[in-house]
């Protein structure tokens, strides 16, 4: 795990505080969606399926920042849509960084080189560029040629300017262990991004393409083979060791979707950004008025094939904190990752 040591310490301190307060539900990271509009039409995403009137809306800065502060989460992932299309996205980032929140701005990078001057490098800020494969595979997934090359150039420029750059890669049943190895080798060894996040695709109900999502056993077999030969230790993966064990099928966990809540133009989404069972205006209502026990694999049929990080990474993190052995293991991998 390649999470910066400063960030690891802050998250560990935050978790210890929640334990002292005897809080059984709390956020690790807020997924903030200040708009749904996007400049691409990715086959695995349904955000742009919203009506035109919704796609024109932009969340006010005060509302976006206020939601994060209301939750108390130490980290924020700003997504959408394409957040760089928001005219005040730099101000949202600036205010969150000023509050010492760790901010990841998720982007397809089409606008990144044009908008980069609006941002300043900070240990609290990173661009998180979505890369689903090498050139042909990535451009096919976003339904537009040239996007991969633009993303690569944007990553290089951001790194040159001193920004932290992470990536997020989603894998489908059309992927093989080799396609995963190829793209992660490229990101890790050639582009030398700071961290990489990976996730099996979930059958997002509004996604145009419903045929290429992974099942649980497919996911486990795929990552078990991709991680073989010491790859998962070599790659700078931004995941806890237990979550990577989970992807391989070495351990199993219940879903803790409440730990990565989603806030969008509609409010706090139940139960997660992948499923929409209604919205509430406050974080407190989300936590207290949602029947969390009815979600997860084996409970809700919609969750049957889900192994997404938004539900299971928090469980792995909490399990790590509850075990001295796993805490030491995570610490060793964090220190090792920061030395590379």
């Amino acid at each position: 795990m390649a999470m910066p040591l400063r960030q690891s310490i802050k998250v560990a301190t935050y978790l210890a505080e929640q334990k002292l307060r005897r809080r059984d539900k709390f956020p690790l990271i807020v997924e903030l969606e200040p708009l749904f509009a996007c400049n691409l039409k990715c086959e695995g995403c349904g955000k742009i399926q919203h009506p035109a009137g919704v796609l024109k809306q932009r969340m006010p800065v005060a509302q976006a920042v206020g939601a994060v502060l209301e939750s108390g989460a130490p980290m924020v992932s700003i997504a959408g849509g394409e957040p760089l299309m928001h005219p005040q996205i730099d101000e949202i980032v600036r205010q969150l960084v000023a509050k010492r929140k760790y901010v990841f701005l998720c982007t397809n990078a089409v606008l990144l080189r044009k908008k980069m001057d609006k941002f300043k490098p900070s240990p609290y800020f990173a661009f998180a560029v979505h890369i689903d494969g090498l050139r042909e595979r990535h451009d096919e997934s976003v339904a537009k040629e040239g996007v991969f090359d633009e993303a690569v150039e944007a990553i290089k420029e951001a790194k040159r300017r001193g920004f932290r750059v992470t990536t997020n890669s989603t894998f489908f049943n059309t992927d093989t262990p080799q396609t995963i190895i190829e793209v992660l080798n490229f990101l890790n060894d050639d582009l030398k991004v700071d961290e990489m996040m990976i996730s099996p695709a979930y059958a997002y109900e509004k996604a145009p393409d419903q045929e290429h999502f992974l099942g649980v056993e497919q996911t486990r077999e795929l990552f078990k083979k991709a991680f073989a030969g010491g790859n998962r230790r070599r790659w700078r993966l931004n995941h806890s060791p237990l979550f990577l064990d989970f992807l391989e099928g070495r351990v199993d966990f219940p879903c803790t979707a409440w730990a990565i809540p989603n806030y969008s133009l509609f409010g706090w989404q139940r139960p997660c950004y992948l499923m929409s069972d209604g919205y509430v205006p406050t974080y407190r209502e989300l936590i207290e008025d949602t029947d969390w026990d009815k979600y997860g694999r084996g409970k809700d049929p919609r969750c049957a094939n889900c192994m997404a990080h938004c539900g299971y990474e928090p469980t792995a993190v909490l399990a790590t904190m509850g075990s001295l052995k796993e805490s030491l293991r995570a610490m060793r991998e964090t220190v090792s990752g920061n030395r590379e």
Side-chain angles (χ1 to χ4, degrees), residues 32 34 61 64-65 78 86 88-96:
L32 178 67
V61 173
V65 175
I78 305 179
H86 193 297
Q88 295 175 293
I89 189 62
D90 55 320
E91 183 61 19
I92 293 175
V93 168
R94 189 193 68 78
Q95 291 194 23
L96 289 171

Side-chain angles (χ1 to χ4, degrees), residues 2-305:
M3 181 185 291
L5 189 58
R6 180 189 301 185
Q7 184 179 344
S8 299
I9 292 172
K10 181 166 184 175
V11 172
T13 301
Y14 170 79
L15 291 172
E17 290 174 352
Q18 307 315 303
K19 187 173 182 179
L20 287 174
R21 295 177 183 179
R22 298 184 179 180
R23 296 178 65 189
D24 60 349
K25 291 183 176 63
F26 47 85
L28 284 176
I29 182 169
V30 169
E31 292 183 333
L32 178 67
E33 295 179 325
L35 80 172
F36 292 129
C38 190
N39 47 8
L40 293 177
K41 298 180 180 179
C42 301
E43 295 180 350
C45 176
K47 297 295 181 180
I48 61 171
Q49 305 301 318
H50 289 292
V54 173
L55 294 179
K56 291 179 181 179
Q57 295 179 32
R58 305 292 185 264
M59 186 181 293
V61 173
Q63 182 181 345
V65 175
V68 175
L69 297 182
E70 176 197 3
S71 75
M75 298 181 288
V76 189
S77 174
I78 305 179
E82 171 51 55
L84 289 178
M85 292 175 65
H86 193 297
Q88 295 175 293
I89 189 62
D90 55 320
E91 183 61 19
I92 293 175
V93 168
R94 189 193 68 78
Q95 291 194 23
L96 289 171
V97 167
K99 297 292 184 181
R100 301 201 173 205
K101 303 294 182 182
Y102 284 93
V103 180
F104 297 85
L105 193 154
C106 303
T107 176
N108 56 40
V110 171
L111 296 172
L112 182 52
R113 286 198 287 177
K114 295 178 182 179
K115 303 282 188 177
M116 205 175 294
D117 287 339
K118 291 178 172 286
F119 304 91
K120 294 181 179 180
S122 166
Y124 289 94
F125 176 67
F127 290 115
V129 181
H130 201 94
I131 300 288
D132 281 347
L134 296 182
R135 182 180 291 109
E136 182 178 351
R137 196 167 195 81
H138 180 73
D139 286 355
E140 181 181 6
S141 74
V142 301
K144 187 175 181 179
E145 291 184 5
V147 175
F148 177 83
D149 288 338
E150 178 58 36
V152 167
E153 291 306 312
I155 289 172
K156 290 179 179 178
E157 178 62 14
K159 292 284 291 179
R160 188 188 69 80
R161 296 194 192 189
F163 287 98
R164 285 183 62 215
V165 180
T166 70
T167 55
N168 184 15
S169 301
T170 304
F171 298 112
F172 296 80
N173 65 11
T174 50
D175 278 293
T176 66
Q178 188 58 34
T179 63
I180 293 176
I181 291 169
E182 288 172 354
V183 69
L184 294 184
N185 277 346
F186 176 74
L187 296 172
N188 191 84
D189 303 336
D190 297 340
L191 285 186
K192 300 185 185 301
V193 300
D194 294 279
E195 303 163 7
M196 300 177 292
M197 180 176 286
I198 58 178
S199 184
Y202 167 80
Y204 186 68
E205 62 182 358
K206 290 186 178 181
D209 181 0
Q210 290 288 320
E211 298 180 2
H212 296 118
F213 294 105
L214 288 159
V216 171
E217 292 307 317
Q218 285 178 299
T219 296
R220 290 170 175 167
E221 189 66 20
L222 186 65
F223 285 107
K224 185 184 297 182
K225 291 180 179 179
F227 289 161
N231 281 333
R232 63 176 267 186
R233 288 192 176 186
R234 184 173 59 82
W235 291 329
R236 290 182 296 279
L237 296 173
N238 187 20
H239 294 289
S240 64
L242 276 179
F243 180 71
L244 298 178
D245 288 349
F246 169 75
L247 289 181
E248 288 192 68
R250 296 185 185 184
V251 296
D252 202 8
F253 292 122
C255 174
T256 50
W258 46 263
I260 305 186
N262 174 274
Y263 185 78
S264 71
L265 293 165
F266 299 145
W268 294 98
Q269 183 171 334
R270 288 176 172 153
C272 64
Y273 84 98
L274 294 168
M275 293 167 55
S276 182
D277 283 358
Y279 299 83
V280 292
T282 68
Y283 173 74
R284 182 173 180 177
E285 289 176 79
L286 174 73
I287 295 301
E288 295 182 356
D289 298 342
T290 303
D291 185 2
W292 298 103
D293 291 336
K294 72 178 184 180
Y295 296 107
R297 284 186 286 115
K299 298 178 179 180
D300 189 312
R302 295 172 297 176
C303 305
N305 289 312

